[in-house]
Amino acid sequence: SMLRVTASGGAQTITGIQYGRPGRVLWVMNVGSDDVQLANESTSSDATNRIITHTGGTLVLSPNESVMLIYDAASQRWRTVGGAA
């Protein structure tokens, strides 16, 4: 699965992603002209939709960068895999 995010007119922040299921893989791609931020453990989203970044803080995707996420059933969170590529 792929989530294309068009960030224009300022940075966009993703605090969570719905429809996680065990082992689901999702590529998040920034196809816009501004940064996309993946918030780490943001309380702005339901617990089961939250993201745990490998940086331990907000992960910033610059234009044309992407990151892979996998849904971890044990922690009931999305986890980033590796870094922006």
Side-chain angles (χ1 to χ4, degrees):
S1 297
M2 179 175 45
L3 175 61
R4 291 173 45 99
V5 181
T6 304
S8 300
Q12 302 293 314
T13 302
I14 298 173
T15 61
I17 300 171
Q18 293 181 320
Y19 309 116
R21 64 179 187 275
R24 182 176 180 193
V25 174
L26 179 66
W27 279 97
V28 177
M29 307 173 88
N30 181 1
V31 297
S33 57
D34 291 309
D35 292 343
V36 171
Q37 302 173 0
L38 298 180
N40 184 66
E41 290 280 15
S42 175
T43 57
S44 295
S45 285
D46 290 340
T48 57
N49 296 335
R50 294 179 190 163
I51 302 164
I52 297 174
T53 67
H54 63 279
T55 63
T58 298
L59 176 66
V60 178
L61 297 178
S62 297
N64 299 311
E65 287 187 331
S66 61
V67 68
M68 183 172 70
L69 286 79
I70 188 164
Y71 195 79
D72 178 3
S75 62
Q76 296 187 324
R77 301 284 195 279
W78 289 96
R79 291 185 177 269
T80 60
V81 179

